[in-house]
């Protein structure tokens, strides 16, 4: 593919391995309020969803949640995240390659800015996205609607068609599709069929993404003339 002019990353599950911690807290909270559910079931059902939507769905499934449940569960999630999260393997090298290629990147997440400050700060890359962190809570537009991604592209002066999104959830991949952006679906634990069903190009290792973005291919093209001269 032609190189993109902007790469938009989702946060949880793409830059930082926080989905399991998130699901553990949500599962424990919902179980406490009458809906027995495992972290694995939470992840399968709710990954990428807005917390208010999770609450609405859980209520329909039998949970009895307090009016301030979203605020309460986020406070519990923040405590869990401050205990430590891991970076997705390969992210520093990927960001280095984008920097070297002069391709800007940003974050577009359904999570809050406070949450991203904790997670991205903990793994030491928050500063690399300074001024380029876009939250659905700040913009009041949530995936799967396209507004978050369209705003990010517009803020950085790049057309939607020249932007790509890196996502791990069907919700986020749907937002990319609706925004008219090509999506790369990161699926480290399964075949990514759900992502593929909404138009994402599935990959399983961040080390593969530079090649999918045309970076490795471009590097080979730049090396070719030098190889020809040496062979001559």
């Amino acid at each position: 593919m032609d190189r993109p002019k902007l790469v938009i990353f989702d946060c949880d599950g793409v830059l930082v391995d926080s989905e399991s911690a998130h699901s553990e807290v949500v599962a424990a909270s919902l179980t406490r309020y009458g809906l027995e559910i495992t972290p694995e079931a939470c992840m399968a059902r709710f990954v990428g969803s807005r917390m208010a939507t999770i609450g609405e769905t859980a209520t329909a499934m039998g949970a009895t949640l307090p009016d301030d449940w979203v605020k309460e569960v986020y406070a519990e999630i923040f405590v869990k995240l401050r205990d430590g999260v891991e970076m997705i393997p390969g992210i520093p090298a990927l960001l280095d390659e984008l920097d070297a290629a002069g391709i800007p990147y940003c974050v577009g997440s359904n999570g809050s800015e406070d949450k991203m400050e904790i997670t991205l700060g903990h793994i030491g890359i928050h500063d690399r996205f300074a001024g380029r962190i876009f939250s659905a809570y700040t913009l009041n537009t949530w995936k799967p609607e396209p507004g978050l991604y369209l705003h990010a592209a517009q803020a950085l002066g790049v057309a939607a068609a020249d932007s790509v999104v890196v996502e791990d959830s069907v919700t986020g991949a749907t937002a990319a599709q609706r925004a008219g952006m090509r999506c790369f679906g990161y699926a480290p634990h399964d075949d990514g069929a759900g992502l593929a069903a909404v138009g994402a190009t599935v990959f399983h290792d961040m080390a593969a993404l530079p090649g999918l973005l045309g970076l490795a291919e471009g590097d080979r093209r730049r090396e070719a003339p030098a190889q020809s001269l040496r062979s001559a």
Side-chain angles (χ1 to χ4, degrees):
M1 66 168 287
D2 292 336
R3 291 186 176 193
K5 295 180 180 178
L6 172 65
V7 178
I8 308 174
F9 291 96
D10 178 43
C11 184
D12 298 306
V14 171
L15 296 174
V16 59
D17 188 10
S18 51
E19 296 286 17
S20 58
H22 184 281
S23 295
E24 286 176 17
V25 173
V26 172
S29 177
L30 294 179
T31 298
R32 191 164 67 243
Y33 287 114
L35 176 63
E36 292 192 13
I37 188 169
T38 65
E40 293 76 18
C42 258
M43 185 174 293
R45 179 178 286 270
F46 297 133
V47 66
S49 297
R50 178 186 179 189
M51 193 63 71
T53 302
I54 294 175
E56 291 166 3
T57 303
T59 298
M61 294 170 65
T64 303
L65 303 180
D67 292 341
D68 63 347
W69 179 77
V70 171
K71 181 179 179 180
E72 176 185 292
V73 75
Y74 256 125
E76 294 173 2
I77 289 170
F78 287 177
V79 170
K80 180 75 171 178
L81 294 178
R82 287 190 181 99
D83 287 340
V85 289
E86 299 294 327
M87 188 184 306
I88 296 296
I91 287 298
L94 172 58
L95 298 183
D96 287 345
E97 291 206 47
L98 291 172
D99 285 337
I103 297 174
Y105 48 85
C106 65
V107 180
S109 173
N110 266 2
S112 68
E113 290 188 18
D114 288 344
K115 181 181 177 183
M116 287 186 276
E117 185 174 359
I118 294 170
T119 56
L120 298 180
H122 182 83
I123 62 175
I125 63 172
H126 187 271
D127 288 349
R128 297 191 74 163
F129 290 91
R132 291 171 285 123
I133 295 176
F134 302 97
S135 165
Y137 281 84
T138 302
L139 298 172
N140 198 34
T141 178
W142 279 265
K143 309 171 196 176
E145 296 307 314
L148 177 62
Y149 285 147
L150 291 172
H151 176 90
Q154 183 179 34
L156 292 168
V158 179
D162 294 325
S163 306
V164 301
V165 170
V166 185
E167 268 286 355
D168 71 320
S169 73
V170 172
T171 299
T174 301
Q177 183 184 57
R178 292 176 177 176
M181 299 177 180
R182 185 168 184 184
C183 182
F184 293 94
Y186 178 55
H189 305 301
D190 59 32
D191 63 2
L195 292 163
V198 289
T201 299
V202 176
F203 70 105
H204 306 283
D205 187 331
M206 281 296 169
L209 191 54
L212 294 173
L213 295 175
L215 302 185
E217 183 177 319
D219 292 340
R220 287 195 294 270
R221 283 199 298 266
R222 287 196 298 273
E223 291 171 3
Q227 293 170 347
S228 298
L229 287 173
R230 283 197 297 271
S231 64

